[in-house]
């Protein structure tokens, strides 16, 4: 059943892994199933190595359950190795895409995330002193020498590699030095040197730059694998992508650093006990400051591998959910479009080609190592008609040729046929759609072959509208087991393939590039250091297009493993993925992604295409490395939040449990009985949480506030309130996209109910502009028909702490609300200091609400605010405060001023939602008179 081959094609002496392709994970599953089927007790001392063949497995059953007779061969069903497509492109076996399923995928765009100062994080456990022995592979710009100088001053024994040795010489030097004691750490800094642009390199230069940065690093880490992995050891690399790892407007400056980062991330996956970081810097001549930063990063913050530094500002790399633009703003694709596709004979790629062909009817240049398929080949027809019968044919053919007919041998030949079949399916799909196909059988590593193929593309089509680089292979092995030839092959196919493609284009116009990366490239992965390095290199090459080819859109897709089609559907990979909490990507959802992104958004970017990512996004240090004791909401916060964790993608999480009977801002805000968190206190909570990790910054404003669902306190029981803040740079500011989340456990439900109640964006700034002066309210007393507090709070539900209005009246086209004096404390802490002055914002809300009641006879609640700025504290007011509100037709604009016109609060784009039931007309009458 595990092999997908009938018993008559198997031999009891076949090796489970070498001959049958059943890896160790599947072997473990098989033994578990056998124990359950035959009632055999678990034996923890059992070793799979003692049962390497089918015969030994049969012997295991007979020894442990001798009363069981072997079942007749025909009694057991045979499971096929791979699923048959259920909805195929006409004339092919290629699966259709589903645009709705594709649109439902989370659209995760990779981005640089502001990260707090190092003093907000716990120490890493790395101590650099007299007992330390450290290797430094230096750069040529002087940063490495500055690092060596500081290490030696601290008493560290340093092996400095200041030249560019060949691998044997490098490892020999390390071995000679290592004989005097253990190695604590490695600084790998060659990628701090900026390489020439790819357009100015020849192939030898390209290879040498990558050898020094990437391949020597792999060989060094492989050599030191057993030494660098425990707590207290470290690997720290440096790059020059620009300070944000290329995730900014300028793009990656020296994209070759991507290969270094990929190796670094995968090493962390394999040796999780070590501190592992890749620190990125902008281009500069500074050495001392960078050396200080590198050592400081070694000693503090174990919570992130990818760190960016621009001066004192720090960044990590995460993902942000982004919607496609409302109006398509991508690359225009039509029947004139020209595509170049590498790896075209892969089942996934051929399905994507079919999708693009059906949408465009364009011209496709298909590149693959597989020879151009022979349409008359009977094996190709058999593959599409009956794979199981084809297996039998291959099995008999191997036996007839005197070869060992094992499932592994059959599968190897079947894989070759499968690629030819996929190539033919792609060709057929393009032709069926009315497009044109040019098939190029070429090795991506073949310099002359690739040059000739690209010459033919340029001569035939003159330009390339979409260059889709999907060619590559994957060989998963841990670093100690990864042969250098295998590393080179996996890395070079992607890296050199890109070099040959871009060099081969010469000056031909290029509309867009699409590179196939993977979650291994984004997050690193065990056994995939080469694959991760090559993929991250391609992602940084894509980023570099922002400046090297500003007219070209670059897309990099970090695919998770695909379901339904592709290599990941075979063997134990689905089981491993499930155990790791990683969802496989449904093919129907994945196939349309490239077309959707090309046509929908012309922004150069990298994005993760996946559903649940499981362990790939799990914290690498408790609480994300955050030092909770170094972060607080202030001495006397109105909302006493506590920090919980910080993650580049999941964001900063802070929590607080509020008691509605103890907090006046809750007890005095009850709607039909239960206490309800006031919208203005939700905004205060957001501001408090967003500022906690960045305490040196001030609140410049709160934007795009959405009140989605009331946060209620049922039966007056305390509830935990959770705020999630996801940070992004915006010029010199930091913006925090915040959600206020409530969790309730309902009767008869196993899973808790999770609700996002409010959303907003908090802007944090280093500089606050001087507040503008406003227009003072009219001099004199309010008019006689002004609405008074007694009448207002017959309708409003607010208690004393939120009865902020004294009077409300009309003055021309604006509504004026006079703030009440001597209000009781807002919170249980009488000394509490607020950030957003929520009662001043409430003054605006209620003043606008009185106008709505007086003109419509209905009560309205807050629904959305475009922007709030708090400019001064109330204690600076001269005289009494007034809200000046201007109805705009679809909402309100407003501000709070004192009697001199000094502005304390600015409110823009305030909109409400009406409560359906009308109010008592007698209660409304005084407000109607005031607003007449």
């Amino acid at each position: 059943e595990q092999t997908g081959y009938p018993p008559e094609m198997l031999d009891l002496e076949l090796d489970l892994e070498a001959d049958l392709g059943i890896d160790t994970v599947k072997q473990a599953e098989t033994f578990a199933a056998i124990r359950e089927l035959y009632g055999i007790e678990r034996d923890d001392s059992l070793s799979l190595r003692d049962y390497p063949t089918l015969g030994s497995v049969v012997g295991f059953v007979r020894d442990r359950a001798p009363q069981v007779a072997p079942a007749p061969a025909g009694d057991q069903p045979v499971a096929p190795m791979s699923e048959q497509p259920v909805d195929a492109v006409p004339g092919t076996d290629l699966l259709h895409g589903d645009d709705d399923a594709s649109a439902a995928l989370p659209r995760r765009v990779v981005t640089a995330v502001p990260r707090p100062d190092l003093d907000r994080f716990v120490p890493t456990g790395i101590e650099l002193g007299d007992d330390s022995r450290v290797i430094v592979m230096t750069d040529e710009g002087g940063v490495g020498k500055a690092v060596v100088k500081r290490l030696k001053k601290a008493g560290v024994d340093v092996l400095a590699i200041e030249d560019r040795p060949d691998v044997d010489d490098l490892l020999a030097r390390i071995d000679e030095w290592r004989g005097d004691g253990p190695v604590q750490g490695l600084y790998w800094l060659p990628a701090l040197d900026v390489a020439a642009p790819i357009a100015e390199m020849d192939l030898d230069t390209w290879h040498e730059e990558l050898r020094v940065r990437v391949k020597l690093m792999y060989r060094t880490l492989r050599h030191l694998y057993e030494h660098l992995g425990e707590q207290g050891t470290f690997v720290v690399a440096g790059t020059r992508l620009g300070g944000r790892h290329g995730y900014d407007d300028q793009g990656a400056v020296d994209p070759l650093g991507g290969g270094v980062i990929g190796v670094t991330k995968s090493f962390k996956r394999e040796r999780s006990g070590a501190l592992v970081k890749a620190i990125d810097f902008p281009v500069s001549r500074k050495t001392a400051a960078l050396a200080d930063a590198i050592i400081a990063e070694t000693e503090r913050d174990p919570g992130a591998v990818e760190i960016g530094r621009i001066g004192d500002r720090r960044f990590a790399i995460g993902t942000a959910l982004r919607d496609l633009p409302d109006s398509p703003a991508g690359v225009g694709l039509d029947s004139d479009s020209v595509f170049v596709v590498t790896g075209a004979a892969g089942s996934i790629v051929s399905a994507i080609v079919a999708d693009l062909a059906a949408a465009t009817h364009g011209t496709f240049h298909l590149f693959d190592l597989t020879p151009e398929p022979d349409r008359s080949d009977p094996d190709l027809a058999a593959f599409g008609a009956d794979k199981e019968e084809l297996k039998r044919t291959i099995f008999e053919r191997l036996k007839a040729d005197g070869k060992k007919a094992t499932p592994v041998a059959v599968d190897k030949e079947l894989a070759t046929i499968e690629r030819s079949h996929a190539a033919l399916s792609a060709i057929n799909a393009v032709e069926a759609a009315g497009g044109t196909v040019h098939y190029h059988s070429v090795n991506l590593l073949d310099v002359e072959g690739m040059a000739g193929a690209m010459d033919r593309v340029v001569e035939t089509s003159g330009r390339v509208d979409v260059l889709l680089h999907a060619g590559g292979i994957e060989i998963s092995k841990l670093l100690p087991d990864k042969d250098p030839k295998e590393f080179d092959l996996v890395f070079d196919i992607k890296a050199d393939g890109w070099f040959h493609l871009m060099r081969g284009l010469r000056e031909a116009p290029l509309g867009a590039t699409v590179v196939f990366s993977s979650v291994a490239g984004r997050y690193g992965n065990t056994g995939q250091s080469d694959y991760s390095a090559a993929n991250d290199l391609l992602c940084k090459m894509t980023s570099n297009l922002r400046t090297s080819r500003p007219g070209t859109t670059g897309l990099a897709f970090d695919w998770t493993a695909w379901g339904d089609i592709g290599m990941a559907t075979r063997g134990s990979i689905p089981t491993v993925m499930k155990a790791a909490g990683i969802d496989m990507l449904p093919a129907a959802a994945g196939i349309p992604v490239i077309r959707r992104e090309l046509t929908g958004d012309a922004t150069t970017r990298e994005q993760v295409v996946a559903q649940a990512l499981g362990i790939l996004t799990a914290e690498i240090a408790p609480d994300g490395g955050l030092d909770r004791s170094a972060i607080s909401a202030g001495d006397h916060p109105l909302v006493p939040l506590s920090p919980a964790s910080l993650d580049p993608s999941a964001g900063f999480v802070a929590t607080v449990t509020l008691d509605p009977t103890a907090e006046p801002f809750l007890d005095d805000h009850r709607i039909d009985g239960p206490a309800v968190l006031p919208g203005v206190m939700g905004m205060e909570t957001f501001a408090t949480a967003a500022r906690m990790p960045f305490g040196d910054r001030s609140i410049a404003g709160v934007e795009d506030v959405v009140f989605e669902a009331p946060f209620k306190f049922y039966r007056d029981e305390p509830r935990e309130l959770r705020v999630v803040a996801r940070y992004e740079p915006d010029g010199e500011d930091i913006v925090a996209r915040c959600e206020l989340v409530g969790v309730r456990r309902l009767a008869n439900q196993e899973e808790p109910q999770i609700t996002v109640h409010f959303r907003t964006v908090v802007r944090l700034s280093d500089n606050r502009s001087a507040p503008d002066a406003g227009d003072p309210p009219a001099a004199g007393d309010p008019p006689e028909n002004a609405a008074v507090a007694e009448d207002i709070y017959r309708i409003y539900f607010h208690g004393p702490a939120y009865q902020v209005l004294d009077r409300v009246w009309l003055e021309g086209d604006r509504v004026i609300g006079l703030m009440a004096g001597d209000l009781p404390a807002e919170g249980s802490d009488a000394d509490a200091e607020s950030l957003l002055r929520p009662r001043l914002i409430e003054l605006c809300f209620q003043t606008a609400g009185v106008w709505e009641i007086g003109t419509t006879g209905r009560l309205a609640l807050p629904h959305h605010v475009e922007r709030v700025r708090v400019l001064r504290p109330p204690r600076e007011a001269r005289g009494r405060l007034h809200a000046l509100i201007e109805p705009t037709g679809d909402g309100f604009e407003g501000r709070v001023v004192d009697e001199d016109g000094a502005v304390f609060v600015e409110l823009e784009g305030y909109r409400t939602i009406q409560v359906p039931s009308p109010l008592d007309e007698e209660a409304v009458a005084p407000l109607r008179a005031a607003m007449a």
Side-chain angles (χ1 to χ4, degrees):
E1 288 182 344
Q2 297 290 0
T3 65
Y5 285 84
E8 64 267 21
M9 290 176 63
L10 303 178
D11 185 288
L12 291 180
E13 295 309 311
L14 294 178
D15 185 277
L16 293 178
E17 188 160 11
D19 295 326
L20 301 179
I22 303 175
D23 60 28
T24 53
V25 174
K26 277 295 183 185
Q27 289 175 42
E29 293 175 357
T30 300
F31 270 86
I34 287 172
R35 287 198 312 271
E36 181 178 354
L37 181 64
Y38 293 111
I40 299 173
E41 292 187 5
R42 180 182 177 87
D43 181 358
D44 291 330
S45 66
L46 183 143
S47 173
L48 294 178
R49 287 177 295 188
D50 295 334
Y51 301 93
T53 65
L54 280 178
S56 63
V57 175
V58 172
F60 167 82
V61 176
R62 287 178 172 169
D63 291 343
R64 305 293 178 103
Q67 74 281 7
V68 177
D75 289 355
Q76 297 294 331
V78 177
M81 278 193 66
S82 57
E83 300 177 19
Q84 294 290 332
V86 294
D87 185 16
V89 177
T92 75
D93 286 342
L94 300 176
L95 293 181
H96 264 308
D98 183 329
D99 284 353
D100 290 337
S102 185
L105 291 171
R107 191 169 181 265
R108 298 183 179 99
V109 176
V110 183
T111 183
V113 179
R115 194 162 179 85
D117 293 340
L118 279 171
D119 60 7
R120 302 301 176 97
F121 294 91
V122 299
T124 60
I126 305 297
E127 297 181 1
L128 297 170
D130 293 338
D131 296 330
S132 302
R133 305 187 76 249
V134 174
I135 300 171
V136 181
M137 181 74 168
T138 71
D139 60 318
E140 295 179 343
V143 178
K145 289 182 178 179
V147 169
V148 170
K149 181 179 179 180
R150 282 154 178 75
L151 292 174
K152 288 184 175 180
K153 185 176 181 180
V156 177
D157 184 2
V158 181
L159 171 63
I161 310 294
E162 297 183 354
D163 57 347
R164 298 294 176 260
D166 63 41
V167 65
D168 292 336
D169 182 18
L170 174 62
L171 300 186
R173 291 191 220 176
I174 291 173
D175 284 343
E176 181 180 358
W177 177 81
R178 197 177 62 188
D180 295 332
V183 181
Q184 182 187 10
L186 171 68
Y187 287 109
W188 193 264
L189 307 179
L192 290 176
D193 297 322
V194 178
I198 189 172
E200 298 176 13
M201 290 190 202
D202 58 25
L203 186 60
D204 289 341
T205 304
W206 168 260
H207 283 159
E208 177 61 13
E209 297 287 5
L210 289 173
R211 182 191 74 86
V212 172
R213 287 166 173 77
V214 181
K215 295 186 178 181
L216 282 182
M217 183 184 191
Y218 143 69
R219 292 298 298 270
T220 302
L221 291 175
R222 183 174 183 259
H223 199 62
L224 297 173
Y225 193 82
E226 298 302 324
H227 300 267
L228 302 176
E230 303 303 321
Q231 181 69 30
T233 63
F234 68 89
V235 175
V236 174
T239 60
R240 290 280 195 181
L241 297 163
R244 293 178 182 169
H245 286 260
Y247 301 105
D248 54 16
D249 290 341
Q250 74 171 350
V253 178
D254 181 16
L256 300 191
V260 172
I261 297 168
V263 173
T264 305
K265 289 185 289 192
S266 287
F267 188 79
K268 178 62 176 178
R269 293 286 174 188
E270 294 192 21
R271 305 295 281 161
S272 59
L275 171 78
V276 180
K277 283 187 177 182
I279 309 169
D280 185 47
F281 297 97
V283 176
S284 74
R285 295 184 178 180
K286 295 179 180 179
T287 58
L290 270 61
D292 289 338
I294 288 170
I295 291 175
E297 292 286 351
T298 308
E299 297 175 332
R300 212 167 188 92
D301 185 5
V305 174
E306 296 165 287
I307 294 292
R309 300 279 302 227
I310 300 178
D312 293 332
R313 300 176 68 187
R314 302 179 71 237
F315 301 87
I317 306 303
T319 57
L321 294 176
R322 292 285 184 270
D323 294 330
L324 274 170
D326 292 335
S327 300
V331 179
L333 299 179
D334 54 30
S335 58
D336 292 329
S337 298
V338 178
F339 297 81
V340 171
V341 183
T342 71
S347 56
I348 292 170
V349 183
S350 58
I352 291 171
V353 167
D355 179 79
L356 291 169
T360 66
H361 322 298
T363 297
F364 288 79
H365 293 269
L366 304 182
F367 286 41
D368 201 276
L369 182 61
T370 299
E372 184 168 358
D374 180 358
R375 296 172 191 260
S376 63
D377 186 344
D379 283 348
L380 298 185
F383 186 91
D386 189 342
K387 293 186 184 69
E388 299 308 312
E389 183 59 33
L390 179 58
K391 289 180 186 178
R392 291 183 175 88
T393 300
I394 296 171
F395 181 80
E396 296 299 334
R397 186 189 302 161
L398 289 170
K399 288 201 303 182
D401 292 341
K403 298 177 181 178
K404 191 174 182 180
T406 66
V408 167
V410 172
D411 284 344
K412 184 177 181 179
E413 187 164 336
L414 190 69
T416 300
I417 297 170
E418 182 177 8
R419 288 197 68 86
S420 291
H421 182 268
L424 181 57
S425 293
I427 292 170
N428 289 341
V430 173
E431 292 176 345
T436 302
V437 180
H438 301 278
Y439 192 89
H440 306 264
S441 178
V442 62
N443 187 335
L444 292 175
L445 299 178
D446 181 353
V447 179
E448 294 182 0
M450 284 295 293
M454 290 305 295
D455 284 344
R456 290 192 292 275
V457 169
V458 174
E459 291 168 5
T460 302
S461 300
R463 71 179 194 282
V464 175
D465 295 296
V466 178
L467 170 61
L468 198 163
H469 184 30
I473 63 168
E474 190 276 319
I475 306 172
S476 289
K477 289 183 182 178
L478 295 176
L479 267 177
D481 304 322
K482 190 174 288 291
D483 183 88
K485 292 182 180 179
E486 290 179 343
F487 185 99
D488 290 349
L489 180 63
V490 172
F491 183 83
D492 290 348
I493 288 175
K494 282 180 171 286
D496 285 6
W498 175 264
F499 181 87
H500 295 319
L501 289 166
M502 298 305 289
R503 293 282 292 185
L505 278 172
R506 300 190 299 276
E507 301 302 320
L510 177 61
T513 67
V514 178
V515 298
F516 271 37
S517 178
S518 71
V519 290
R522 171 83 305 272
Y523 301 106
N525 199 23
T526 298
Q528 293 187 316
S529 55
D530 41 14
Y531 199 60
S532 177
N535 282 323
D536 207 349
L537 173 69
L538 291 182
C539 289
K540 301 310 188 284
M541 285 291 175
T542 298
S543 170
N544 178 256
L545 292 173
R546 293 189 179 105
T547 51
S548 62
R549 280 183 176 261
T552 299
T553 297
L555 302 179
F557 293 99
D558 300 324
W559 301 106
T560 190
W562 284 55
D564 310 313
I565 54 177
M567 294 179 63
T569 60
R570 301 171 186 147
S572 64
I573 294 177
T575 301
V576 172
M577 298 285 282
K578 183 177 180 181
I582 303 171
D583 290 338
M584 297 187 74
L585 179 67
I591 289 168
V593 165
I594 289 178
R595 168 173 49 83
R596 182 194 71 199
E597 294 295 327
L598 279 171
T599 58
D601 185 357
T603 306
T604 293
R605 63 196 173 279
E606 175 187 345
Q607 64 189 78
V608 178
V609 186
Q611 294 171 312
L613 288 166
I615 62 171
L616 291 176
T617 54
E619 292 180 339
I620 63 172
D623 306 327
L626 206 61
D627 183 355
R628 293 199 201 182
S629 66
I631 295 180
S632 74
D635 293 335
H636 294 281
L638 190 54
V639 185
L641 289 159
S642 298
S645 63
L646 177 66
D647 178 84
S649 294
F652 171 66
V653 178
T655 63
V656 64
T657 298
L658 297 177
D659 183 346
T661 64
E663 296 291 351
F665 63 78
L666 295 175
D667 201 23
D668 286 348
H669 194 263
R670 295 178 178 272
I671 302 177
D672 297 329
V676 179
L677 183 72
V680 293
M681 285 306 301
M683 295 162 66
E684 173 71 14
T685 304
F686 283 138
T688 303
R691 188 172 177 265
M692 287 172 68
F694 298 94
D696 57 334
R697 287 180 173 254
S698 58
I699 305 295
V702 177
E703 304 162 4
D704 195 21
V705 187
V706 180
F707 304 102
E708 294 192 353
F711 190 99
K712 297 182 178 181
F713 293 79
Y714 300 94
R715 294 187 291 273
D716 273 352
E717 295 174 350
R719 282 189 70 183
E720 182 185 81
L721 181 153
R722 178 177 295 262
V723 177
V724 180
R726 296 178 175 89
Y727 298 97
E728 300 174 15
D730 186 7
E732 294 300 312
D733 291 346
I734 295 174
V735 295
R737 299 185 184 276
C738 302
E739 294 179 345
L740 191 149
V741 180
V743 180
R744 293 181 65 205
R745 292 198 171 273
L746 304 179
N748 303 319
Q749 291 190 15
E750 293 184 5
E751 297 296 324
Q753 180 190 69
I754 300 175
T755 305
V756 176
H757 294 270
F758 303 160
R759 301 178 193 269
T760 196
V761 175
V762 179
R763 182 172 293 276
L764 304 171
S765 178
D766 280 333
N767 302 302
R768 295 181 62 177
S769 57
D772 299 328
D775 297 327
D781 296 328
E784 292 184 2
N785 70 331
V788 298
E790 180 181 356
D791 293 328
I792 293 169
Y793 294 106
R794 285 177 63 192
I795 296 174
Y796 271 140
F797 46 80
H798 303 80
Y802 273 88
Q803 292 181 358
V804 295
L805 283 172
D806 183 332
R807 307 282 178 93
V808 180
W809 66 93
L810 279 178
E811 183 185 85
D813 293 332
R814 66 183 182 179
V815 190
I816 299 180
L818 176 63
M819 190 167 186
D822 299 325
L823 291 170
E826 290 175 84
S828 55
D829 183 353
D831 296 324
E833 184 78 7
S834 64
L835 291 175
L836 279 190
R837 321 301 175 194
R839 285 199 289 204
L840 297 190
I841 302 172
E842 184 69 22
L843 178 67
C844 294
F845 284 6
Q846 291 189 22
T847 301
V850 168
W851 182 86
E852 287 193 290
I853 294 169
T855 56
T856 68
R858 293 178 185 269
L859 182 67
L861 300 176
H863 180 60
H864 183 263
V865 182
E866 288 183 6
R867 187 181 186 216
V868 174
R869 284 204 308 161
V870 177
L871 305 174
R872 292 183 174 89
R875 61 177 175 272
E876 295 182 6
R878 294 176 62 84
R880 300 183 70 176
L881 291 168
H882 299 72
L884 311 181
I885 302 298
E886 298 180 10
T888 61
D890 62 345
F892 302 90
E893 306 290 321
R895 56 190 183 277
V896 175
V897 301
D898 65 9
E899 292 179 1
D900 288 345
V903 181
F904 287 73
V905 169
E906 287 182 346
L907 182 73
E908 300 175 15
Y910 172 53
R911 296 194 294 276
T912 62
I913 185 168
Q914 286 192 345
V915 176
S917 55
L919 299 168
D920 178 72
E921 188 58 37
E922 182 180 349
V924 170
L927 276 62
R928 284 196 186 279
M931 297 298 105

